[in-house]
Amino acid sequence: MKFKNILIYSGFIGVLSLSACSKKIAVEGETPVTPPKAPTAYTITETFEAGTKASYALDSVQLLTGKWTLSDALLGNLAADAKNGTKSIRLRTGYLAMNFDVAGAKMLYVSHAKYGTDANSTWQLLASTDGGKTYAQLGTDITETSTTLVTDSFKVSTTGKIRFQIKKAGTTRINIDDIIFKGTGDPGITVGAPDTDPTDNGNTGTAAPGRGTPDAGADAPPAGGDNSNLLFGNPSGAQANIISAENYLIDQKYYVESYSMTRGIPNWVSWHLDPNNFNGAVTRKDDFASFTGLPSNWYQVQSNSYSGSGFDRGHNCPSGDRTSSSGANSATFLMTNMIPQAPNNNQKTWESFESYLRAQALNGYEVYVMMGSYGTGGIGSASASVINTINNGKVTVPANVWKVAVLLKTGDNDLSRVTASTRVIAINTPNVNTIGANWKDYIVTVRDIESATGYNLLSNLPQNIQDVVEKVKDPGN
């Protein structure tokens, strides 16, 4: 990418809040107050690689960071489109606008250029602090003269939530590509399309045809080494052998799991996550299906087996983590990847945590994830009573749902790069519909989950490293 002289603009909207300094006089016998931890810095990039829009007609498009409205604009992929990657916004006489807010933003970076041989033109960056009701311009008009991408930076001098719009006049065309948000704290962005269907009723219709193990495409994680699904270990010692019916190892190429024959659900599922896995090449397929790769005498949970139960077909490996191909996304809809999950647990608490991890992946991390469940008895939306099983007793409703995520800055030799200071997030939630939406309220330690399940979750790490990172309770910021 070519950079021109960067222009720093102060926003003409919002209010800077100034806090006065004060001294706190120590009182004898008083417990010292621990100062709050400084908010974590974030960098999130909207690449415009996800989604499809081939016409200039007004429409909203789901992209990595959320829904954007394109007016007299499209997602261009021609040779004349200036772009990083395969797509960029091609804007004519209209605007490109966020349909969502970002919190804690300090700087905004926009890459832009002329389209093809079009004449020079100008555009404006606008911002709104009232959810898009009103906008004010940030800085002065930008004159578009370059045929290759250049980047301008804009300083955001406002507190709270904000959204941006790029507006252009005239009939000449420009390209807008990577927009980078930099700030501190929780940006509040849902990265990727929502992974849950709020109308999921367990499919009351006829069961869909079953499917076997998907073919491993070029986008599948490697079988071993860096980025492999089981790099951090097989936590229960699962085996691909029928004598291990309650701890049966299944390699679904895009994730690996331990499956329980009698419970009809996975014990745990493990996978690797980086931005290549959720690039938006495909959208959510919703092609739930039984898994035909189970031993011949085992019951296959069907796509409609949760019908009328009051529980969602809750993914372990999320659909939103696997949008790089149809094969990758379809793999997540096999019923061996599902648990009966209380709707609010699935659609609110877990959806927000999954989005948070995808945001961290866009922020320069790769994430190794293990998710599972244990116990018996949850409360769904059909009644206030604890339900132990559904599907005539063939599918167990778990009592708790947990996840462990190891976050590493993108790089090589991943196992050897884990240190005592590596961030490991563990959460454990009750499988009930009255659960709170904030995943941070359910943070525990890895050792807490190991005590509840009997698993050795990060077994491939040196024991001295395990003894540190597994005892740390993440602060959640």
Side-chain angles (χ1 to χ4, degrees):
M1 182 190 303
K2 179 181 177 183
F3 285 80
K4 72 176 184 180
N5 294 328
I6 301 300
L7 305 175
I8 307 297
Y9 299 113
S10 295
F12 294 156
I13 60 172
V15 179
L16 281 173
S17 62
L18 303 177
S19 55
C21 297
S22 64
K23 289 185 178 180
K24 187 177 187 298
I25 306 301
V27 178
E28 187 176 353
E30 181 178 297
T31 302
V33 177
T34 302
K37 186 176 179 180
T40 303
Y42 68 77
T43 301
I44 295 176
T45 303
E46 176 52 72
T47 63
F48 300 106
E49 294 297 315
T52 301
K53 186 175 186 294
S55 73
Y56 285 104
L58 175 68
D59 200 2
S60 292
V61 180
Q62 178 70 50
L63 300 171
L64 280 177
T65 52
K67 279 199 171 182
W68 295 67
T69 294
L70 279 65
S71 174
D72 204 28
L74 53 78
L75 283 163
N77 60 358
L78 301 180
D81 287 297
K83 53 189 177 295
N84 290 319
T86 61
K87 300 177 187 176
S88 64
I89 296 293
R90 191 191 309 158
L91 178 60
R92 194 166 57 183
T93 309
Y95 62 86
L96 164 70
M98 297 162 57
N99 291 354
F100 56 93
D101 293 318
V102 59
K106 304 298 182 186
M107 295 292 296
L108 186 77
Y109 299 83
V110 181
S111 297
H112 55 91
K114 295 195 297 184
Y115 170 76
T117 59
D118 279 22
N120 295 349
S121 59
T122 59
W123 56 270
Q124 300 172 338
L125 178 70
L126 310 176
S128 172
T129 57
D130 57 8
K133 295 178 182 177
T134 61
Y135 284 87
Q137 185 172 354
L138 288 184
T140 57
D141 291 2
I142 303 295
T143 301
E144 200 65 78
T145 61
S146 176
T147 57
T148 58
L149 289 172
V150 295
T151 300
D152 276 302
S153 62
F154 301 82
K155 184 177 180 181
V156 182
S157 299
T158 185
T159 59
K161 296 180 178 180
I162 191 169
R163 63 179 60 185
F164 300 99
Q165 180 185 104
I166 292 174
K167 187 175 182 180
K168 185 186 171 296
T171 58
T172 56
R173 295 161 292 183
I174 64 171
N175 287 121
I176 302 292
D177 206 350
D178 298 347
I179 293 180
I180 303 173
F181 306 90
K182 287 195 174 185
T184 57
D186 183 357
I189 290 178
T190 299
V191 178
D195 187 51
T196 57
D197 178 1
T199 62
D200 182 20
N201 58 7
N203 180 17
T204 57
T206 304
R211 295 194 300 273
T213 301
D215 294 330
D219 58 331
D226 277 3
N227 302 350
S228 59
N229 293 315
L230 279 184
L231 183 66
F232 280 79
N234 180 333
S236 62
Q239 301 177 45
N241 192 310
I242 58 173
I243 64 172
S244 185
E246 300 311 309
N247 189 24
Y248 187 70
L249 187 69
I250 307 174
D251 183 357
Q252 300 288 20
K253 307 305 180 183
Y254 294 93
Y255 57 88
V256 175
E257 63 181 311
S258 163
Y259 186 75
S260 168
M261 177 188 70
T262 59
R263 289 169 67 85
I265 57 175
N267 301 306
W268 53 260
V269 178
S270 184
W271 67 99
H272 175 264
L273 179 68
D274 66 38
N276 294 321
N277 303 133
F278 57 96
N279 59 16
V282 298
T283 57
R284 177 183 166 101
K285 295 183 69 66
D286 279 311
D287 53 349
F288 293 91
S290 61
F291 178 54
T292 59
L294 293 173
S296 59
N297 60 334
W298 291 14
Y299 176 73
Q300 293 179 15
V301 180
Q302 301 297 308
S303 61
N304 61 355
S305 290
Y306 290 20
S307 176
S309 67
F311 293 94
D312 281 1
R313 295 170 289 187
H315 288 68
N316 279 251
C317 180
S319 161
D321 283 8
R322 294 291 185 257
T323 61
S324 54
S325 67
S326 293
N329 195 252
S330 287
T332 70
F333 284 94
L334 292 171
M335 292 303 294
T336 48
N337 185 43
M338 305 296 161
I339 57 171
Q341 196 168 2
N344 285 338
N345 184 294
N346 182 36
Q347 298 169 23
K348 296 179 179 180
T349 320
W350 282 95
E351 168 60 26
S352 65
F353 187 44
E354 291 161 4
S355 174
Y356 177 81
L357 293 180
R358 288 191 286 269
Q360 297 309 301
L362 287 180
N363 197 17
Y365 288 89
E366 53 184 307
V367 188
Y368 287 88
V369 191
M370 295 180 185
M371 176 176 170
S373 57
Y374 66 88
T376 301
I379 301 175
S381 60
S383 75
S385 300
V386 174
I387 305 298
N388 292 327
T389 64
I390 62 173
N391 193 209
N392 296 318
K394 294 183 175 67
V395 178
T396 296
V397 178
N400 284 73
V401 188
W402 58 267
K403 182 173 283 186
V404 170
V406 180
L407 283 73
L408 290 171
K409 281 291 186 181
T410 302
D412 299 322
N413 302 313
D414 294 346
L415 276 178
S416 64
R417 292 191 296 119
V418 179
T419 68
S421 60
T422 296
R423 189 179 184 195
V424 179
I425 310 174
I427 69 170
N428 190 358
T429 67
N431 189 21
V432 296
N433 217 35
T434 53
I435 190 172
N438 189 352
W439 61 267
K440 298 177 184 179
D441 293 337
Y442 302 95
I443 296 175
V444 296
T445 69
V446 175
R447 288 289 164 91
D448 291 331
I449 296 174
E450 288 182 332
S451 295
T453 61
Y455 299 152
N456 188 358
L457 290 171
L458 303 175
S459 58
N460 281 354
L461 289 178
Q463 191 60 52
N464 64 315
I465 299 296
Q466 290 186 56
D467 289 341
V468 177
V469 297
E470 291 185 356
K471 295 178 181 178
V472 175
K473 186 176 179 179
D474 187 80
N477 55 19

